[in-house]
Structures are given as C-alpha cells and as structure tokens.
Amino acid sequence: MSEARPRSARLVTAAAWLLLLVGLWLWGRELSILPGLPGTGDVSAAGVRLPPAHDPLPAVRPHRVDIPAIGVRAPVVERGLDQDLAIAPPPYDRPGVVGWYAGGTRPGAAGTALFVGHVDTTSDAAVFYDLSTLKPGQKVRVSRADGSLAEFTVEDVQVLQRDDFDAVQAYGERREGRAELRLITCGGTFDRVTASYSSNVVVSAYLTGTGP
C-alpha cells in the first residue's frame, strides 16, 4: 500500500498532462482570421553558441514578457483550459497580451512554462505575429511578480504540421531539471473552410540568466 498511492498520483498527473497536450494541439483552431502569415520550416541552433543553463528559480507568477528581437513588450494574463481542454487564448479584444497556462509551470521554475498568443486577429497588432522569425540565441525576458527577471535563450523554432503532430516533442521537457519556456502560436496557411491554421509555431527556450 505504501507504493500504491504515489504510483496512482503519478498516473493521475501523467493523464492530466496528456489531456493538456491534446488540448494544446486543438488550441488555435478558432484563433482565425487572416491567411498568409509567416512561418514555415525549422530553425535549429546549428552554428550558434548557446549559453549554459541557469539553475531553476523559485516559482513566481509572471506579469510581463519582453522579446527585444521582435519588439514584443506585453503583459501576461493567466489562462486555464476551456471546455475542449485547450488553453483558453487571450481575449480577442486584447491581441497585444500573452496568455500563460496558470495550471502549469511558472516561468523560471523547473519544468516547461507555456505561453500562448495570437498570430492574428481582426487587427494587425497580434502579439506573436513575428514569433516564427525568432532565431537561436535571441532572448526572452519574463518579469515576475516579485520584481525578479527570468531571462531565457531561444534554443530552436519549430513549425509543426497538425496532420503529423507530436505533442511531447512540442511541449515536453527537453532536458530534465531545466527551467524551460515554450512560446506557442499558429502558423502555416489558413484554411477558410475549416477556419484553422495548418501548423503550430513553437519556440523553445531555456533559463540562462536572472536580474533584479
């Protein structure tokens, strides 16, 4: 009996994580609006010297994300899961904010923190419109509620086709024990019939520094 309860708890946690990964694959089908957005192919870290990982930080809620390379300086709002078990996207009338899955890891803590944002809405001000143009070595800075800063370095950028989607590859930990970050939006082409994009853009980054 002493081992049954921990094993059961692990199975429940694994099942919940699997449901979230499926939900993340579904996320974005209703993000719609305009076709012709950037984002095809993958960018790896080949030829780029990446810094060593920083030790994970205490778990603190995020409140802003800055991505200097693409001009993003956006507030972070907490999001949960909707009725389809997908991460609820940021409000459509606030295309300039980033959604953080508050049921998961807090950015800077060990594990994978998940940020989602619109690639397009009815305006041209969607926060992750240029997400697919990020390159390995560029920085993502997350300001946290205690005044601390968690600085992440982009490791790679993937554009994953939904017809052959590997959720674990997209959202699972790259290296156990690291503090990692995923920035997720839609990509590829927009199908007006199904009102969905053909791909997901997934930027993977890991903690490499801190600040006050």
Side-chain angles (χ1 to χ4, degrees):
M1 292 295 292
S2 62
E3 295 183 0
R5 289 180 63 188
R7 182 181 180 185
S8 175
R10 288 196 299 270
L11 289 174
V12 170
T13 300
W17 180 240
L18 178 60
L19 286 174
L20 172 60
L21 294 181
V22 173
L24 283 167
W25 177 81
L26 293 171
W27 180 82
R29 292 191 174 194
E30 300 300 329
L31 291 186
S32 79
I33 298 291
L34 302 177
L37 297 170
T40 56
D42 295 351
V43 178
S44 70
V48 177
R49 184 182 296 276
L50 298 177
H54 191 285
D55 289 339
L57 306 174
V60 176
R61 294 177 181 273
H63 76 89
R64 193 182 75 244
V65 58
D66 298 322
I67 313 176
I70 57 174
V72 169
R73 184 178 176 84
V76 174
V77 295
E78 295 183 13
R79 308 305 285 169
L81 300 180
D82 63 19
Q83 61 184 4
D84 296 320
L85 297 179
I87 293 181
Y92 286 96
D93 61 353
R94 299 181 66 193
V97 305
V98 171
W100 162 60
Y101 175 55
T105 301
R106 299 183 180 191
T112 304
L114 304 175
F115 280 1
V116 297
H118 291 292
V119 71
D120 215 336
T121 60
T122 53
S123 76
D124 60 359
V127 66
F128 280 170
Y129 183 81
D130 290 324
L131 190 69
S132 65
T133 68
L134 284 176
K135 294 177 174 56
Q138 293 178 326
K139 303 298 183 182
V140 179
R141 299 184 178 101
V142 180
S143 299
R144 310 194 313 159
D146 64 350
S148 65
L149 178 74
E151 183 175 80
F152 296 83
T153 297
V154 173
E155 192 167 27
D156 63 44
V157 181
Q158 296 179 300
V159 180
L160 304 177
Q161 298 295 319
R162 289 199 175 136
D163 290 342
D164 187 24
F165 189 81
D166 185 338
V168 174
Q169 175 190 0
Y171 310 123
E173 286 184 65
R174 296 292 183 84
R175 296 184 188 177
E176 186 176 358
R178 283 199 314 187
E180 299 184 354
L181 182 68
R182 298 292 182 275
L183 308 173
I184 308 156
T185 195
C186 296
T189 57
F190 181 74
D191 186 331
R192 293 185 180 276
V193 175
T194 61
S196 65
Y197 287 97
S198 62
S199 309
N200 282 110
V201 175
V202 180
V203 173
S204 299
Y206 64 102
L207 184 70
T208 55
T210 62

